[in-house]
Amino acid sequence: MERAAAPLPVGLLQWIADHEHEFRPPVSNRVIWPDGDLMAMVVRGPNARTDFHDDPGDELFLQLRGAIRVDVIEDGEVRERWVREGEIMLVPGHVPHRPLRPAGTWGLVVERRRAAHELDRAFWRGDTCGAVVDEVTFHVTDIEVQLADALCGHAASEERRTCGGCGTVAPVPAEFTGEAPGAARRRAWPRRRRWTPPTRSEPCATASPSPSAPAPTVGPRRSSTCEATRWV
């Protein structure tokens, strides 16, 4: 079986600059490579989310700029995890999580593509009683559109935002404006150590310079059904 050629490296910051205008709430995500077993997404803030996402596979969060909060449900309790600039966080499969991104933040999220039988789940809990108010399951084929559609469908329906147990009506999700504790103290990158070549009896081979890497081919952004939704 013939294997696909490995793509050349991508200048990530330049890629972000080229596609900056394509990130839209409520999720504001953009996939870098349209094909492959892994989905590498750049995600910007702000976002507007009150849902928890249950992914059948692991998700890797790497924060490029600013700090975000990732709420996870452990032992039935919601726990806050702040991921600061330069930090990385692994969320194992089937751990419900809610990434909350303030304005001006940029991150990279890597997750695997779903098998044909796998379903993702997004669900909302009541603020008062903690019961599941609404949920939707879907097979992910286009993460940029499908997750946004799920969030917009919930936000647009007061009936779906009403808890059947306590009767509380959840508001339309608002942009996240939280700030990490100690956010004023920006995390510094580790000091780079100077590399000293080892002593060798034979001369080192000179490596050929790698060719400049063109940006990967990215198709036009697909439209979500909630493009006109106003997120307050």
Side-chain angles (χ1 to χ4, degrees):
M1 180 178 178
E2 184 178 352
R3 297 182 63 87
L8 294 172
V10 173
L12 184 57
L13 298 183
Q14 184 60 52
W15 189 94
I16 291 174
D18 293 341
H19 297 273
E20 185 174 4
H21 62 285
E22 299 172 356
F23 294 83
R24 302 188 184 99
V27 185
S28 297
N29 60 333
R30 195 75 167 94
V31 177
I32 300 175
W33 291 280
D35 302 310
D37 293 338
L38 294 177
M39 290 187 293
M41 297 179 289
V42 175
V43 192
R44 74 176 300 179
N47 67 357
R49 299 185 62 170
T50 54
D51 66 296
F52 283 92
H53 179 208
D54 182 347
D55 186 334
D58 296 352
E59 292 191 19
L60 194 65
F61 291 81
L62 170 62
Q63 219 23 49
L64 303 173
R65 178 181 296 173
I68 66 171
R69 199 181 86 196
V70 181
D71 295 346
V72 297
I73 298 180
E74 296 178 339
D75 300 323
E77 298 292 330
V78 178
R79 307 185 189 281
E80 298 179 357
R81 300 285 187 266
W82 282 96
V83 187
R84 292 169 171 80
E85 185 172 313
E87 292 184 336
I88 192 169
M89 177 182 179
L90 176 68
V91 177
H94 289 303
V95 171
H97 58 282
R98 175 173 58 199
L100 300 171
R101 301 177 180 273
T105 58
W106 291 89
L108 182 71
V109 178
V110 180
E111 53 189 79
R112 63 171 175 78
R113 295 192 184 275
R114 315 304 192 256
H117 66 279
E118 291 181 321
L119 295 176
D120 282 55
R121 175 179 177 235
F123 64 93
W124 291 259
R125 292 167 35 125
D127 292 335
T128 303
C129 62
V132 174
V133 175
D134 187 23
E135 65 179 308
V136 59
T137 58
F138 52 97
H139 174 66
V140 173
T141 56
D142 189 335
I143 192 68
E144 292 181 7
V145 172
Q146 289 174 285
L147 185 54
D149 284 348
L151 304 188
C152 290
H154 172 82
S157 172
E158 183 174 310
E159 180 181 0
R160 292 177 57 180
R161 290 186 282 109
T162 301
C163 179
C166 64
T168 302
V169 179
V172 173
E175 291 182 354
F176 181 66
T177 58
E179 187 173 283
R185 300 190 302 272
R186 189 168 183 174
R187 179 178 294 272
W189 286 96
R191 183 183 299 275
R192 297 181 61 182
R193 295 182 178 178
R194 183 179 298 275
W195 179 75
T196 303
T199 303
R200 298 172 59 101
S201 58
E202 68 278 10
C204 295
T206 302
S208 300
S210 59
S212 58
T217 302
V218 178
R221 180 177 176 87
R222 295 161 293 281
S223 296
S224 165
T225 58
C226 68
E227 293 291 351
T229 300
R230 183 185 178 202
W231 297 86
V232 297

